[in-house]
C-alpha cells in the first residue's frame, strides 16, 4: 500500500511517497516559487539521483500535475497507475478547536477547515488549495488532513487558556494551540519504543529545536502542555521568532515607531527579525556557534539565551509532570548540535538529568546520550514528520472502513 504525503505552502509543494510495507520512502521532492516567472522543481527516488529544473509553475494544480506525471514516468517513476496510491496525507498547519485528530476529506471536514482560515491565514488557505489540487489530479484517491495542532488538543483548560478577558476565548477562540504536533507525536512514540515501554506509562519532555522550536510535556502518551501558543511565536528563543517576552513592550514600541502600528510590520518584526537573528544577525545555529568560537559576543549571548530559555521550560514541565522518564532532543538543532544539548543539560543534575559528554559528541541516528547515573534518559531522535503523516493517513482510512 502506498501513501502520498503532501505539504502545500503558499508558494511551494513538498511531497513524499511511501511504500507502507516496510515504511520506505520511495520518491520525494519539492516545488518552489509557484506563481513566479522562475520556479524550481527538485525530485529524487530511492533508485534515481536528485534532479533540479528551473521552470514556471503557475499554481498548485500544475505543481501536483508535474509530480503525478513524474511518479508515473515509465522509466524513472515509482508507480505504474495512480490507483496504487491508497491515500494522500495532507499536512495542515492549524486545526483550531475544530479538529483534535486526523480526518478524511469530505464536504464536512472541508467546511471545518475553511472555518480555520482566520486563525492561520498564512498557512491554512494554501494547505486547502493543495487538497483541492490533489483531488482534481487524483480523483477517487481519499485525502486525509493531518493537523500540526491535533496532538496538543489533550491539554487541560488551565494550560491552554490565556488570562485575557474570557470573551476573547468565547468569541475568537483565543487560546494556546501549539504546533509541531506531528513531530512531537513521532518522537514520543519512538522514545517509548526505545525505552521498551508503553507510551501510556511514561512521562517525557520533547524538545523540537529547529528554526521554529517548541517543547512539549507528554504524560502517558498525551500532551499536557506545549510552549507554542495561539501562533508559533511564544515559548523559547527561535531562529527569527522572539519567543516569550513582555507583551506590554508592543504598545510601548508602537508609541515610538509609528510604522509598527501596521499589523504586518509588527508581525514581521516579531516573527522574522527577532530571535537569534535579532540578537546576533544570524538565524542559523551553525553560524552562531562559529561566530561565538571566534569571540563574537552577540553570538555568544544569542546561544546562551536560546539554551537558557529551553532549560527554563524543562524545569517548568518537569514540575508540571511531577518528574520525567526521558528528555528527547529532535529537529535541526536538537539532532545535530552537541554544544546546544550540553549547555541545556548543564546544571540540571538536581532534576536527575545528567548528560554523557562523550556520547553527546557522537553523531548518528537515534541514540541515548545520558550518563549511566542519570535518572532521566536523555535521547536524540531524528524527527520524521512525513512518515508520521503517511501513517496517520493510512490509520485514519482503515479506521473508517
Ligand atoms: P525548520 O524549522 O526550518 O524545519 P530545521 O529543523 O531544519 O528547521 O533546523 C534548522 C536549524 O538547525 C538551523 O538553526 C541550523 O543551523 C540548525 N542545524 C542544522 N545542522 C546543525 C549542526 N550540525 N549544528 C548546529 N546546528 C545545526
Amino acid at each position: 500500500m502506498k501513501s502520498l504525503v503532501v505539504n502545500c505552502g503558499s508558494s511551494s509543494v513538498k511531497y513524499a511517497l511511501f511504500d507502507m510495507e516496510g515504511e520506505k520512502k520511495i520518491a520525494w521532492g519539492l516545488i518552489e516559487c509557484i506563481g513566479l516567472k522562475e520556479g524550481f522543481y527538485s525530485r529524487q527516488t530511492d533508485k534515481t539521483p536528485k534532479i533540479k529544473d528551473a521552470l514556471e509553475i503557475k499554481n498548485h494544480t500544475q505543481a501536483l500535475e508535474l509530480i503525478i506525471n513524474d511518479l508515473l514516468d515509465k522509466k524513472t517513476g515509482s508507480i505504474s497507475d495512480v490507483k496504487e496510491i491508497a491515500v494522500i496525507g495532507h499536512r495542515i498547519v492549524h486545526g483550531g478547536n475544530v479538529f483534535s485528530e486526523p480526518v478524511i476529506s469530505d464536504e464536512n471536514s472541508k467546511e471545518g477547515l475553511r472555518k480555520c482560515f482566520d486563525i492561520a491565514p498564512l498557512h491554512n488557505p494554501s494547505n486547502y488549495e493543495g487538497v483541492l489540487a490533489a483531488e482534481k489530479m487524483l480523483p477517487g484517491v481519499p485525502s486525509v488532513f493531518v493537523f500540526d495542532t491535533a496532538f496538543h488538543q489533550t491539554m487541560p483548560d488551565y494550560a491552554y487558556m490565556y488570562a485575557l478577558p474570557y470573551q476573547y476565548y468565547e468569541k475568537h477562540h483565543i487560546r494556546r494551540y501549539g504546533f509541531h504536533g506531528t513531530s512531537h507525536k513521532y518522537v514520543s512514540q519512538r522514545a517509548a519504543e526505545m525505552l521498551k515501554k508503553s507510551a501510556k506509562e511514561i512521562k517525557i519532555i520533547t524538545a523540537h529545536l529547529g528554526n521554529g522550536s517548541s517543547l512539549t510535556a507528554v504524560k502517558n502518551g498525551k500532551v499536557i502542555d506545549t510552549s507554542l501558543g495561539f501562533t508559533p511565536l511564544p515559548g523559547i528563543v527561535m531562529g527569527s521568532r522572539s519567543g516569550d517576552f513582555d507583551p506590554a513592550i508592543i504598545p510601548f514600541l508602537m508609541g515610538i515607531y509609528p510604522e509598527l502600528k501596521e499589523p504586518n510590520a509588527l508581525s514581521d518584526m516579531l516573527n522574522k527579525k527577532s530571535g537569534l537573528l535579532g540578537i546576533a544577525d544570524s538565524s542559523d545555529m551553525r553560524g552562531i556557534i562559529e561566530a561565538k568560537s571566534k569571540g563574537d559576543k552577540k553570538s555568544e549571548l544569542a546561544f546562551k539565551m536560546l539554551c537558557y530559555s529551553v532549560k527554563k521550560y524543562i524545569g517548568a514541565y518537569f514540575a508540571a509532570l511531577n518528574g520525567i522518564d526521558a528528555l528527547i532532543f529532535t529537529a535541526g538543532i536538537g539532532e545535530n548540535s552537541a554544544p546546544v544539548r550540553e549547555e541545556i543539560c548543564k546544571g540540571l543534575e538536581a532534576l536527575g538529568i545528567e548528560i554523557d559528554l562523550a556520547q553527546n559528541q557522537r553523531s548518528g541516528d537515534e541514540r541515548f546520550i545520558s550518563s549511566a547515573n542519570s535518572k532521566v534518559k536523555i535521547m536524540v531522535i531524528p524527527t520524521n514528520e512525513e512518515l508520521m503523516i503517511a501513517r496517520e493517513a493510512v490509520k485514519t482510512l482503515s479506521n473508517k472502513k
Side-chain angles (χ1 to χ4, degrees):
M1 175 192 251
K2 297 194 175 69
S3 178
L4 177 65
V5 176
V6 174
N7 181 355
C8 280
S10 55
S11 63
S12 68
V13 177
K14 209 172 164 192
Y15 73 95
L17 181 69
F18 286 87
D19 185 343
M20 297 310 282
E21 273 105 71
E23 297 191 325
K24 191 162 184 252
K25 188 153 90 165
I26 53 175
W28 61 99
L30 171 68
I31 291 184
E32 295 165 284
C33 303
I34 294 174
L36 298 183
K37 272 269 160 273
E38 188 171 63
F40 298 96
Y41 177 26
S42 49
R43 68 264 184 208
Q44 72 187 95
T45 74
D46 55 341
K47 299 193 178 69
T48 56
K50 184 169 167 180
I51 311 171
K52 187 166 180 177
D53 293 324
L55 72 170
E56 187 183 352
I57 303 149
K58 291 202 173 65
N59 50 40
H60 289 82
T61 306
Q62 196 191 342
L64 260 295
E65 190 179 348
L66 276 171
I67 294 166
I68 306 299
N69 285 342
D70 264 326
L71 291 176
L72 285 166
D73 188 272
K74 288 219 158 49
K75 275 195 195 138
T76 56
S78 305
I79 51 172
S80 46
D81 192 313
V82 287
K83 289 199 187 101
E84 286 178 45
I85 302 174
V87 64
I88 311 165
H90 290 270
R91 177 193 180 215
I92 310 284
V93 167
H94 214 313
N97 56 4
V98 181
F99 299 104
S100 57
E101 52 188 21
V103 286
I104 296 198
S105 170
D106 59 19
E107 283 320 308
N108 265 342
S109 55
K110 277 191 205 150
E111 195 189 327
L113 182 52
R114 287 192 296 269
K115 279 192 187 141
C116 301
F117 278 9
D118 283 359
I119 220 166
L122 297 179
H123 296 102
N124 275 6
S126 337
N127 298 160
Y128 181 70
E129 219 173 305
V131 172
L132 298 185
E135 288 182 348
K136 195 164 158 194
M137 290 312 305
L138 295 168
V141 180
S143 282
V144 172
F145 307 159
V146 182
F147 302 93
D148 252 21
T149 47
F151 187 47
H152 302 301
Q153 280 289 307
T154 48
M155 277 185 286
D157 52 5
Y158 55 81
Y160 70 65
M161 285 300 292
Y162 294 124
L164 294 170
Y166 197 79
Q167 53 161 326
Y168 296 136
Y169 170 66
E170 288 180 307
K171 285 192 189 153
H172 310 291
H173 314 297
I174 305 284
R175 49 158 283 186
R176 179 188 306 282
Y177 290 99
F179 299 88
H180 304 134
T182 308
S183 173
H184 289 289
K185 187 170 183 179
Y186 175 81
V187 297
S188 48
Q189 286 181 356
R190 278 303 300 144
E193 284 162 14
M194 287 167 72
L195 292 166
K196 301 192 170 55
K197 295 209 163 142
S198 153
K200 292 195 176 127
E201 55 180 1
I202 53 170
K203 296 186 285 187
I204 57 177
I205 295 173
T206 50
H208 175 111
L209 310 180
N211 268 320
S213 303
S214 59
L215 267 79
T216 295
V218 189
K219 185 178 187 179
N220 307 336
K222 297 211 161 108
V223 172
I224 63 157
D225 207 347
T226 191
S227 62
L228 291 175
F230 180 68
T231 70
L233 185 67
I236 65 166
V237 174
M238 292 174 247
S240 64
R241 296 188 207 136
S242 64
D244 295 337
F245 73 106
D246 178 352
I249 292 168
I250 292 175
F252 180 82
L253 285 178
M254 280 175 165
I256 304 173
Y257 301 98
E259 65 271 24
L260 290 181
K261 288 187 182 153
E262 211 278 300
N264 286 339
L266 180 62
S267 172
D268 255 27
M269 186 273 278
L270 297 171
N271 285 290
K272 297 186 181 159
K273 296 180 184 161
S274 298
L276 298 176
L277 183 69
I279 298 293
D281 289 332
S282 168
S283 61
D284 186 298
M285 184 49 90
R286 281 167 292 203
I288 297 273
I289 291 175
E290 202 188 321
K292 167 175 141 347
S293 72
K294 291 182 182 148
D296 184 73
K297 291 287 169 222
K298 283 187 177 166
S299 296
E300 182 169 2
L301 175 63
F303 174 85
K304 284 191 173 159
M305 284 172 73
L306 185 143
C307 297
Y308 183 62
S309 68
V310 176
K311 191 189 284 259
K312 283 204 293 187
Y313 267 94
I314 292 173
Y317 290 168
F318 189 95
L321 289 161
N322 191 14
I324 55 172
D325 299 291
L327 167 65
I328 323 298
F329 287 102
T330 193
I333 300 174
E335 290 166 28
N336 297 303
S337 184
V340 170
R341 293 190 301 257
E342 181 181 336
E343 179 72 17
I344 290 169
C345 293
K346 203 163 70 186
L348 288 180
E349 295 81 12
L351 303 185
I353 297 174
E354 283 181 45
I355 197 163
D356 180 311
L357 294 178
Q359 291 298 331
N360 185 41
Q361 288 300 332
R362 268 184 46 219
S363 53
D365 251 357
E366 295 175 335
R367 59 205 185 272
F368 289 90
I369 56 166
S370 37
S371 72
N373 290 333
S374 183
K375 284 200 190 111
V376 172
K377 298 282 181 221
I378 311 171
M379 301 154 83
V380 177
I381 304 182
T383 193
N384 197 340
E385 287 161 287
E386 286 173 338
L387 174 59
M388 194 70 209
I389 294 173
R391 279 184 191 162
E392 297 273 41
V394 170
K395 190 170 141 203
T396 308
L397 188 67
S398 54
N399 284 349
K400 197 198 165 200
K401 283 180 180 162

